[in-house]
Amino acid sequence: DAKTTQPPSMDCAEGRAANLPCNHSTISGNEYVYWYRQIHSQGPQYIIHGLKNNETNEMASLIITEDRKSSTLILPHATLRDTAVYYCIVRGFADKLIFGTGTRLQVFP
Amino acid sequence: DTAVSQTPKYLVTQMGNDKSIKCEQNLGHDTMYWYKQDSKKFLKIMFSYNNKELIINETVPNRFSPKSPDKAHLNLHINSLELGDSAVYFCASSPSRGNSPLHFGNGTRLTVT
């Protein structure tokens, strides 16, 4: 059911930027790209979402390609507490939030 | 302070029992959800309520029955528990059915023995 493809795992050194890619080649015009993360044993945490423009908030930046077929979540200065599974989700207006398998990001000292 | 709270955090019970998980949100949201995360960590939506009305009902055994006494609460009742019901159940809420992020609780880990 998930409409996105993400690498199963990534590593990142503490203090460096973590760039998490996501492919969503079948995205339609009214569908948003959402990012959530799940830190071990906790509930999923909303990070950011966007339609076609790049977005930034206090947690991360979201870069969406012009054709909208892929996006990248950027954590500018990763910390050990950013170790989590990151989910990229394509969601239409009022649609269900459907989780895929995500990317397991390991931040190391 | 907790925005979406679930009780209990852990629930251990025997097969055949009936149990309930409670969820409350203090965010003033209109829509609430139940998700199930199995042992393989797949998160799947089960139900969604908007203003106490059921709007999403995935392919879930009818032993599972959500109940929404008011829009701040969505409880999950499970009858005749089976081993395969063991999972972590997450409650979530959002401001409306539209394009709004969901806020999740920290889950209830159900173990059926």
Side-chain angles (χ1 to χ4, degrees):
Chain A
D1 279 335
K3 300 181 182 180
T4 62
T5 304
Q6 299 177 252
S9 63
M10 292 182 65
D11 289 340
C12 179
E14 192 176 19
R16 305 297 293 265
N19 297 290
L20 292 92
C22 179
N23 285 325
H24 30 79
S25 57
T26 61
I27 193 170
S28 58
N30 62 352
E31 289 181 318
Y32 285 73
V33 180
Y34 277 77
W35 282 85
Y36 278 77
R37 72 181 181 183
Q38 189 173 23
I39 296 170
H40 180 63
S41 299
Q42 297 181 20
Q45 178 188 24
Y46 166 76
I47 301 173
I48 199 167
H49 73 287
L51 184 62
K52 52 183 177 182
N53 296 325
N54 297 337
E55 301 288 344
T56 296
N57 62 21
E58 65 279 3
M59 289 182 69
S61 295
L62 173 60
I63 309 298
I64 302 174
T65 57
E66 197 167 336
D67 63 8
R68 302 211 321 126
K69 291 186 177 182
S70 65
S71 60
T72 301
L73 179 75
I74 301 172
L75 308 178
H77 305 286
T79 71
L80 298 178
R81 281 181 285 188
D82 291 322
T83 292
V85 178
Y86 287 76
Y87 297 96
C88 170
I89 302 166
V90 166
R91 182 191 186 203
F93 187 85
D95 279 353
K96 298 177 285 192
L97 199 67
I98 298 175
F99 289 82
T101 53
T103 295
R104 182 172 297 277
L105 175 69
Q106 179 69 53
V107 180
F108 57 92
Chain B
D1 264 342
T2 305
V4 181
S5 59
Q6 301 178 223
T7 54
K9 187 173 172 65
Y10 300 97
L11 182 54
V12 181
T13 188
Q14 291 185 325
M15 284 175 57
N17 285 346
D18 303 335
K19 289 294 178 185
S20 295
I21 305 172
K22 295 185 177 181
C23 178
E24 176 182 5
Q25 54 94 5
N26 62 5
L27 298 167
H29 290 170
D30 291 330
T31 307
M32 296 185 71
Y33 312 78
W34 278 108
Y35 279 77
K36 177 181 180 181
Q37 188 167 39
D38 61 23
S39 57
K40 295 183 179 177
K41 303 297 185 184
F42 290 120
L43 263 164
K44 298 184 88 169
I45 188 168
M46 300 172 69
F47 302 102
S48 174
Y49 268 71
N50 180 257
N51 276 322
K52 298 169 53 180
E53 180 184 343
L54 181 66
I55 55 172
I56 294 175
N57 185 352
E58 293 295 293
T59 307
V60 176
N62 57 15
R63 297 182 295 103
F64 290 77
S65 56
K67 287 187 171 55
S68 181
D70 56 62
K71 72 174 193 176
H73 295 83
L74 182 63
N75 304 323
L76 184 64
H77 301 276
I78 316 171
N79 295 325
S80 303
L81 277 155
E82 300 177 357
L83 293 177
D85 297 332
S86 295
V88 183
Y89 292 85
F90 289 100
C91 178
S93 71
S94 67
S96 67
R97 290 186 62 200
N99 181 37
S100 305
L102 274 63
H103 297 257
F104 284 81
N106 277 329
T108 295
R109 182 174 295 276
L110 172 65
T111 304
V112 182
T113 61

